[in-house]
Amino acid sequence: MPEPAAWRYQKITKPMFDIPTEDCILAGRVLTMAGDVIEDGFVQIGGGKILAVGPRADMPKGHVTETGGTIMPGMINSHAHLNWDGIHDLARQSMDDPKPMSAFKAAGNMLKSLRAGITMVRDLGFHEMNLYSKQAVEQGIFPGPRLKVCGAAIIQTGGHTYWVCREASGPDEMRRAVREQVKGGADLIKIMACHDTLEFTDAELEAVIDEAHRNRLPVTAHATYDACINRVAKFGVDCIEHGGSMSDETIALLLEKKLPIVTTFAPLVQQSQPEIARKFGIPDWKIEERIKAVADPSRYAGLKKAAEAGVPIVFGTDAGSPAVEHDVIAPELAHMVKVGVCTDNMDALHSITIRAARLSKMDHLIGTLEVGKAADVIVVDGNPDQDLFALERVRTTFVAGKRMHG
């Protein structure tokens, strides 16, 4: 697909912030996420790609820049909002923060993501600001992870979080809203399909999905309860965000259409811990509400059943929500295992690597450590397949062979 005009004319020939690729060998324990765990192995990178992976006995002669720890693919956060800081009220930030301040927040959060081992972020909207974050990274103006962006999420007038979305009414206006995001360089279209009882009309839903697909962009839908998930799946969306209660009929529909769910438990998890939540100004009544929600197994029953049936579950945190900063990774993964949407730690790691890469149609390039793929690689102190909280000790982060942290 040709690049949108907004991208063609804004590209520059010489990056302002140019980080050279490294040619080196990383030696240690290797999680390829392609089926192999090499207890004593190596990964050779050069020219921005993975040149060799194997046991240490087969390691070529060369400069070894890292030893020890676990080497694994860079992680992917498939639901984040870089322009939200994870501290302040979302509506206040969305309506009152001047755009320059929001841009600084995104810049800081990209660095925070890199330090946490996140090498790609799927940014699902803060007005249209993520379009500019991606341009800044692509043009070499500011270092950051790979970005997949939706522009502004599209919502019916007055819908859920209307104050940070592109409001539209009627099918023609829905098509116009999609075209605006395409013009800006969006990689996907996000719709706020439902919240409580307010939903798109059939004509609006058909128009927004058709227009996105006509422009060869996937559509992801904020959908949090059974009837809504079922409805958007029937209309042809490509992914479900958050998820929720689901009937057997809905689960069967997701399987038939091969639709993944990006779960986002981190706001619930972080805000249910008083020692964390109070630091971010979460009131006690909200903390108590979150504690009860976390302890209620029925809240996760539909998602667990869907996962057990074979619906792909992909990692996301809704990063930027209060108490969910952009380096909060392990608590989400641990909760995914705890509630049963992932079978074990290794399955959880698949959700943040190869399954996330497949969701964004990037699995030919990233998501596993295999010869020929891009050198999106991290080195972690400890064994994350045994202790997910080892991921809080990321030593080094490479994106396309460029050392972005460590």
Side-chain angles (χ1 to χ4, degrees):
M1 179 179 178
E3 289 181 308
W7 282 97
R8 288 201 304 273
Y9 298 140
Q10 293 179 27
K11 287 260 177 121
I12 56 178
T13 56
K14 185 175 177 56
M16 297 170 63
F17 197 105
D18 195 11
I19 302 171
T21 59
E22 291 194 24
D23 296 348
C24 61
I25 298 172
L26 310 175
R29 189 167 180 268
V30 181
L31 301 182
T32 67
M33 304 314 296
D36 298 318
V37 178
I38 307 171
E39 293 297 338
D40 188 18
F42 76 95
V43 177
Q44 182 183 20
I45 65 177
K49 294 185 177 182
I50 297 172
L51 302 180
V53 181
R56 191 185 290 259
D58 297 336
M59 188 169 71
K61 293 181 180 180
H63 177 56
V64 179
T65 62
E66 295 274 359
T67 58
T70 295
I71 307 159
M72 60 178 282
M75 297 183 288
I76 300 167
N77 192 340
S78 292
H79 190 127
H81 303 271
L82 287 166
N83 297 95
W84 278 334
D85 57 23
I87 301 170
H88 299 99
D89 177 75
L90 301 184
R92 187 199 65 74
Q93 291 184 77
S94 303
M95 292 187 286
D96 296 344
D97 277 3
K99 286 188 175 182
M101 179 61 72
S102 298
F104 278 117
K105 287 183 181 183
N109 288 329
M110 286 193 289
L111 294 180
K112 187 174 287 188
S113 297
L114 290 170
R115 290 195 295 267
I118 296 294
T119 55
M120 190 172 97
V121 172
R122 188 166 166 264
D123 188 310
L124 295 188
F126 175 97
H127 304 295
E128 77 292 351
M129 292 290 290
N130 56 27
L131 298 172
Y132 303 107
S133 298
K134 181 170 182 177
Q135 289 181 29
V137 173
E138 292 278 336
Q139 294 177 7
I141 294 169
F142 196 85
R146 299 176 190 271
L147 295 180
K148 292 291 183 181
V149 300
C150 70
I154 299 171
I155 191 168
Q156 65 275 41
T157 300
H160 176 57
T161 66
Y162 67 89
W163 27 261
V164 76
C165 298
R166 172 36 165 113
E167 293 182 279
S169 292
D172 288 345
E173 188 64 14
M174 290 289 170
R175 291 185 186 276
R176 179 184 293 273
V178 171
R179 291 173 185 178
E180 288 172 359
Q181 313 323 310
V182 173
K183 178 183 177 182
D187 301 295
L188 68 151
I189 298 298
K190 181 188 180 186
I191 60 173
M192 306 295 287
C194 54
H195 193 79
D196 298 328
T197 58
L198 188 60
E199 300 183 3
F200 286 76
T201 66
D202 285 358
E204 288 173 335
L205 194 54
E206 181 178 13
V208 74
I209 294 172
D210 176 68
E211 192 61 39
H213 286 168
R214 285 180 63 255
N215 284 279
R216 287 179 276 181
L217 295 186
V219 180
T220 196
H222 169 112
T224 56
Y225 57 88
D226 181 63
C228 177
I229 296 169
N230 186 289
R231 182 168 179 255
V232 296
K234 286 179 177 175
F235 269 82
V237 301
D238 302 285
C239 180
I240 303 297
E241 304 296 326
H242 310 298
S245 61
M246 279 175 282
S247 64
D248 290 345
E249 176 193 343
T250 297
I251 292 171
L253 184 61
L254 296 182
L255 287 170
E256 175 191 339
K257 292 181 172 289
K258 300 180 180 178
L259 300 187
I261 301 172
V262 180
T263 55
T264 54
F265 299 123
L268 192 67
V269 172
Q270 296 295 95
Q271 293 170 20
S272 70
Q273 300 179 59
E275 69 279 9
I276 294 174
R278 289 192 180 113
K279 293 179 182 178
F280 294 91
I282 307 296
D284 285 347
W285 67 265
K286 189 68 171 180
I287 296 171
E288 289 299 319
E289 181 183 274
R290 292 304 205 185
I291 289 171
K292 290 178 182 178
V294 164
D296 179 9
S298 67
R299 185 181 184 95
Y300 315 107
L303 289 167
K304 180 181 179 183
K305 194 170 185 179
E308 291 172 343
V311 174
I313 303 295
V314 179
F315 172 95
T317 63
D318 220 350
S321 298
V324 187
E325 295 186 83
H326 291 261
D327 54 1
V328 173
I329 306 300
E332 176 81 29
L333 289 168
H335 198 70
M336 294 169 80
V337 176
K338 180 180 178 180
V339 302
V341 300
C342 289
T343 55
D344 54 25
N345 289 358
M346 188 62 84
D347 188 37
L349 292 176
H350 277 90
S351 78
I352 199 172
T353 55
I354 184 57
R355 284 207 295 272
R358 288 191 193 114
L359 168 64
S360 291
K361 294 182 170 42
M362 294 283 285
D363 51 305
H364 65 289
L365 186 68
I366 59 175
T368 59
L369 300 183
E370 296 181 271
V371 173
K373 285 194 172 184
D376 287 18
V377 183
I378 64 173
V379 182
V380 179
D381 282 331
N383 301 331
D385 54 323
Q386 299 166 21
D387 175 16
L388 290 167
F389 285 86
L391 293 171
E392 295 182 343
R393 302 188 299 274
V394 173
R395 184 193 301 169
T396 310
T397 302
F398 292 91
V399 178
K402 297 180 179 181
R403 186 183 291 261
M404 311 298 284
H405 164 64

